Every structure is written in structure tokens, then in C-alpha cells.
């Protein structure tokens, strides 16, 4: 985006601005083009959540334990030439880089636990390659390297309860806690190995599978610990409260989605040969398929027993399906046109951006969280205009589909969020 970068967090913390007209001269921006309209930043868990020192310490100690277990075996692997010819060139440096991180002090922040998680991932990958190649007996309950999912995943999942007098903030906490718990579950499944089945494979295939399992075990441990720590922080902040109506909200969202969701065949059957800007914009909207991915993610969360995460993702899906309808309405304005009018494109984005700033400055925490879906579509539209990715004659048509979708998402956010917060 070529225009000024205006942080949503700076708006939230340093004074509100209610209209894009107050941020930039509308006439000048219109002349320059819609991609110069600044968009609020995407949402962040940091707007609501905090990291306690105990959380920071748990992340650091997990990494320290991993480095202590990995270092001697990685050194043996290096001396044996195990890493020679490997495509990932960071193997030999991962342990030393993590050690440098551990040798300095770090504040209790999201950046600290994110960096610790980064080092866990790469040290674990190096560790897995080393133990699988050198000595398989070191992998298992009695060895320094382990496979399988982290223990106590089910215990945390079954114990989670959300009671709060601040439902909007709680929805953001739910997304944070259960998203990380879900990653722990998925990594844990990818950390399972069938030794008997692997025995029939080549040494290379066997080693790759074992190395991947070791890495994913550590990822499962790390994400489970982070999810547990965030849940403890959330609980510690609650003095009293009532249960959120998540069951009712899910029913509402599913009813809103019921007549709007489609299967892949529906999208494929409606694609058209591109002869006009309208054709191009319509095909772009079908490619975006607003809401479908969030709906799939909600189903995945449901199958894994994460009702809170399912609710958040259904809310995102409901808002995006409204975006599909509005995007289609904007595209229909191109019927009979040989070009996409600059004014139509600008006005569509301006309407989305105006609404986005109103939510960013005056909306509740859950409304601001849902705003991330609109920001995504606005950003996609800008890229079609500025990055040269589209080589056909109608880049504005691609952008219009994205901006029109963003309008619908922004317009419906208050009612979608209100299914839980009011």
C-alpha cells in the first residue's frame, strides 16, 4: 500500500478518528487512487491478552531443556556429517542461536514467547534429524527425544470454562487459547509414528518420519503449554461472571450461514469465460469464496471438541458470507461496462474503510477482532492494483471484488458480534 500507514493500535491508544476524511484529503486521495486509502491494521491478541512472568519462564525453561537434550546429540551428528547435503541450511546453527537467546534476559511479552517458540521449532527439527540418523534408540520415553503428542491435552480441553462479565474480550481470549490448543492437537497427531509400518520403509523415509515426529512432539508441548498459560491468565483476571451463550450463538451463526454456504462444485459451475470486467470480477469473487475456509475451520474445531474456537470461526464465516453478497452486488454495477469506473472502485473501498475505522475506534474487542477479515480483503484488493500480480486487462475488477466483499463484512460485524456480546 502506497499511502500512510495508520496503526489501529495507535488509534485505540492515542485518540480516535471517526472518518477517513479526517485522515486524508478525499479529493487528493481520489485522484491518486483507492489503494492510497489507509486501512486499519489487522487485529492482535495483544490488544486484550497479556503474558505473565510465569508464562515467560515456562517457555524459556522448555527451550532450555530441549537445548540441553539436543546439544550433545546434534554435535555427534555434525561430526558424523549427518547434516551434509540437507536442504535446510540452519541445522548446525539452530542450537547455538537458541543458546544465545537463552543467555540473555527477556521481558514477559508476546515477542519473547514467540521467539522461544521459533527456537523450539528449529532446535527440535535439528534434534529430530540428528537422533533419527544416529541412534534410533534415543527416541522414546527413556530417551532424550520423544514422539507422540504432549500429555494432558485432553485434560486442558475438558477443563476449559469461560465465565466473564466482559464477553467481547472473552471471545478474543477464546480464540487465543483454543487456537494454540488446536495447534498442539494437530502437531501431536503429526508426532505419532507407527514403528512397525516404518520398518518396511527405506532408511531415508524412516529417518524423515522419525525426525518429523520428534519436531512435532516438541511443538505440541510448546503450544499446549502456551494455551494452558493463557487460560490461567484469563482465569486469574476474572473476579466473577456468567457463562457466555456460545451454544445459542453457534445456532444463530449456522442458521445465517445455512443458505449461503456452497460446495466446490457450486463455485466451479458458475465460473465464466472472461470477456468483460464483470466476468473477471465475478470469477475473482468465486475464487475468494468468502466464508468457506472459516466454515471448514469451524467444522475442524467442532470435531476436535473446541466449541469456543468453533464459535469464533463461525462468526468469521457469517460475516464473510455477507461479504459475498455485497461483493456480488458491487460487481453487478459493472454490467455493460468495458472498464471499471475509478469512482466506483474508490467509493467502494472508502465505504469499507470508513466503517472499518468506526469499528477500530469505537467497537468492542470482538468487533475489532472480526475486523481482521475485512482488512484481509482490503489488503488483497490493494495488491491487485499495486503489485502487478494480475497480467490481464482488468486489475480493477479483481480489486472491486475484494473491496465489495470488505464492505459486506464491515457492515455486518456489529450484528455478528452482538450474537455473543449482547
Amino acid at each position: 500500500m502506497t499511502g500512510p500507514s495508520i496503526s489501529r493500535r495507535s488509534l485505540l491508544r492515542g485518540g480516535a478518528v471517526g472518518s477517513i476524511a479526517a485522515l486524508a484529503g478525499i479529493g487528493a486521495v481520489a485522484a491518486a487512487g483507492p489503494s492510497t486509502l489507509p486501512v486499519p491494521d489487522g487485529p492482535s491478541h495483544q490488544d486484550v491478552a497479556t503474558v505473565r512472568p510465569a508464562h515467560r519462564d515456562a517457555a524459556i525453561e522448555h527451550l532450555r531443556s530441549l537445548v540441553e537434550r539436543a546439544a550433545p546429540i546434534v554435535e555427534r551428528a555434525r561430526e558424523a556429517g549427518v547434516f551434509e547435503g540437507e536442504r535446510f541450511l540452519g541445522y548446525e546453527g539452530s542450537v547455538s542461536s537458541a543458546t544465545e537467546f537463552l543467555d540473555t534476559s527477556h521481558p514477559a511479552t508476546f515477542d519473547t514467547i514467540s521467539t522461544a517458540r521459533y527456537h523450539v521449532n528449529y532446535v527440535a527439527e535439528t534434534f529430530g534429524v540428528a537422533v533419527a540418523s544416529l541412534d534410533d534408540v534415543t527416541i522414546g520415553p527413556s530417551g532424550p527425544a520423544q514422539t507422540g503428542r504432549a500429555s494432558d491435552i485432553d485434560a486442558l480441553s475438558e477443563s476449559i470454562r469461560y465465565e466473564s462479565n466482559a464477553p467481547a474480550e472473552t471471545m478474543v481470549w477464546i480464540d487465543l487459547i483454543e487456537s494454540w490448543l488446536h495447534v498442539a492437537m494437530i502437531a501431536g497427531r503429526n508426532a505419532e509414528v507407527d514403528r512397525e509400518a516404518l520398518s518396511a520403509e527405506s532408511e531415508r523415509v524412516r529417518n524423515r518420519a522419525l525426525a518429523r515426529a520428534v519436531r512435532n512432539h516438541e511443538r505440541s508441548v510448546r503450544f499446549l503449554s502456551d494455551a494452558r498459560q493463557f487460560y490461567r491468565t484469563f482465569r486469574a483476571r476474572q473476579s466473577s461472571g456468567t457463562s457466555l451463550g456460545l451454544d445459542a450463538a453457534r445456532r444463530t451463526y449456522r442458521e445465517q450461514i445455512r443458505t449461503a454456504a456452497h460446495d466446490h462444485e457450486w463455485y466451479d459451475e458458475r465460473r465464466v469465460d472472461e470477456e468483460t470486467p464483470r466476468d473477471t470480477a465475478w470469477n475473482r469473487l468465486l475464487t475468494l469464496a468468502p466464508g468457506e475456509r472459516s466454515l471448514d475451520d469451524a467444522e475442524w474445531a467442532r470435531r476436535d471438541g473446541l466449541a469456543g474456537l468453533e464459535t469464533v470461526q463461525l462468526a468469521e464465516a457469517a460475516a464473510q458470507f455477507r461479504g459475498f453478497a455485497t461483493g456480488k452486488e458491487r460487481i453487478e454495477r459493472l454490467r455493460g461496462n468495458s472498464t471499471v469506473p475509478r469512482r466506483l472502485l474508490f467509493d467502494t473501498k472508502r465505504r469499507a474503510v470508513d466503517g472499518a475505522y468506526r469499528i477500530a475506534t469505537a467497537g468492542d474487542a470482538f468487533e475489532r477482532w472480526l475486523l481482521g477479515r475485512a482488512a484481509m480483503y482490503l489488503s488483497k484488493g490493494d495488491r491487485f492494483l499495486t503489485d502487478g500480480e494480475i497480467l490481464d486487462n482488468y486489475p480493477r475488477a479483481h480489486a472491486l471484488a475484494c473491496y465489495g466483499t470488505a464492505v459486506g463484512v464491515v457492515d455486518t460485524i456489529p450484528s455478528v458480534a452482538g450474537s455473543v456480546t449482547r
Side-chain angles (χ1 to χ4, degrees):
M1 188 168 64
T2 57
S5 176
I6 299 178
S7 168
R8 181 172 67 83
R9 296 186 191 89
S10 68
L11 288 173
L12 293 173
R13 295 168 183 164
V17 181
S19 170
I20 194 64
L23 299 169
I26 287 298
V29 175
S35 65
T36 60
L37 281 173
V39 179
D41 286 347
S44 170
H45 289 123
Q46 298 177 61
D47 290 336
V48 170
T50 58
V51 174
R52 296 176 302 143
H55 188 168
R56 181 263 326 269
D57 295 345
I60 294 292
E61 288 310 308
H62 174 217
L63 176 60
R64 192 182 308 281
S65 169
L66 176 59
V67 168
E68 290 173 352
R69 287 180 280 130
I73 297 175
V74 170
E75 178 59 22
R76 283 176 53 199
R78 186 191 65 77
E79 292 173 351
V82 166
F83 303 124
E84 294 177 6
E86 291 285 352
R87 287 179 297 174
F88 174 51
L89 301 179
Y91 281 136
E92 295 186 60
S94 61
V95 172
S96 60
S97 178
T99 300
E100 290 178 7
F101 172 77
L102 292 170
D103 285 343
T104 57
S105 61
H106 301 280
T109 64
F110 271 80
D111 284 343
T112 293
I113 60 171
S114 176
T115 304
R117 192 168 62 249
Y118 168 86
H119 286 298
V120 164
N121 186 60
Y122 284 107
V123 173
E125 183 168 358
T126 305
F127 190 25
V129 170
V131 296
S133 300
L134 282 178
D135 187 0
D136 188 22
V137 298
T138 63
I139 303 177
S142 60
Q146 288 139 41
T147 60
R149 67 179 194 158
S151 61
D152 296 333
I153 285 180
D154 291 339
L156 177 60
S157 178
E158 293 167 4
S159 68
I160 288 177
R161 300 290 185 275
Y162 298 108
E163 296 179 349
S164 173
N165 287 325
E169 289 188 4
T170 299
M171 292 301 292
V172 181
W173 276 103
I174 288 173
D175 183 83
L176 172 60
I177 294 162
E178 296 196 10
S179 290
W180 290 36
L181 177 56
H182 206 197
V183 174
M185 291 178 173
I186 296 166
R189 286 196 286 267
N190 290 330
E192 302 288 350
V193 290
D194 185 334
R195 294 300 186 95
E196 184 176 350
L198 280 180
S199 65
E201 300 290 347
S202 68
E203 180 181 10
R204 182 175 181 84
V205 170
R206 185 168 59 251
N207 288 351
R208 291 287 187 187
L210 290 172
R212 185 168 56 249
V214 169
R215 180 195 66 191
N216 280 306
H217 170 80
E218 298 296 340
R219 292 185 70 239
S220 184
V221 170
R222 179 72 265 119
F223 276 93
L224 174 63
S225 176
D226 285 333
R228 182 187 295 114
Q229 291 291 342
F230 277 123
Y231 182 60
R232 289 174 177 172
T233 302
F234 167 76
R235 296 292 297 178
R237 291 162 61 114
Q238 308 305 311
S239 56
S240 62
T242 58
S243 296
L244 274 68
L246 298 183
D247 291 345
R250 285 194 299 277
R251 288 193 295 270
T252 297
Y253 296 144
R254 288 200 177 277
E255 180 58 29
Q256 292 172 353
I257 292 167
R258 184 177 58 82
T259 58
H262 310 292
D263 57 25
H264 293 296
E265 291 183 359
W266 187 93
Y267 291 98
D268 291 341
E269 290 171 355
R270 282 158 179 77
R271 296 187 188 278
V272 296
D273 293 333
E274 295 186 11
E275 298 179 356
T276 68
R278 179 188 173 279
D279 296 339
T280 297
W282 174 240
N283 283 348
R284 171 54 55 188
L285 184 62
L286 293 173
T287 300
L288 291 174
E292 300 293 348
R293 179 171 296 180
S294 293
L295 186 57
D296 288 343
D297 289 343
E299 178 61 18
W300 198 358
R302 185 193 66 79
R303 292 176 182 177
D304 284 336
L306 299 175
L309 184 59
E310 178 192 359
T311 308
V312 174
Q313 289 168 339
L314 284 174
E316 291 183 349
Q320 290 179 81
F321 280 120
R322 168 68 181 274
F324 184 100
T326 306
K328 182 179 178 182
E329 180 272 326
R330 291 284 160 152
I331 290 169
E332 285 305 310
R333 299 187 187 188
L334 296 177
R335 188 175 292 277
N337 285 21
S338 59
T339 62
V340 177
R342 180 180 293 270
R343 173 55 62 180
L344 172 62
L345 195 62
F346 176 78
D347 286 347
T348 300
K349 184 178 180 184
R350 180 174 60 181
R351 177 176 166 184
V353 169
D354 273 343
Y357 272 105
R358 283 193 294 271
I359 292 172
T361 57
D364 63 37
F366 192 36
E367 290 174 344
R368 297 195 304 270
W369 179 252
L370 293 171
L371 187 60
R373 300 298 90 192
M376 177 187 70
Y377 291 115
L378 288 167
S379 177
K380 282 180 178 289
D382 287 347
R383 287 200 299 272
F384 288 127
L385 294 178
T386 61
D387 288 356
E389 294 180 355
I390 300 301
L391 301 181
D392 62 27
N393 294 323
Y394 306 119
R396 291 184 193 174
H398 295 274
L400 181 66
C402 297
Y403 294 157
T405 301
V407 169
V409 173
V410 168
D411 285 350
T412 199
I413 281 175
S415 64
V416 168
S419 295
V420 178
T421 59
R422 288 191 291 273

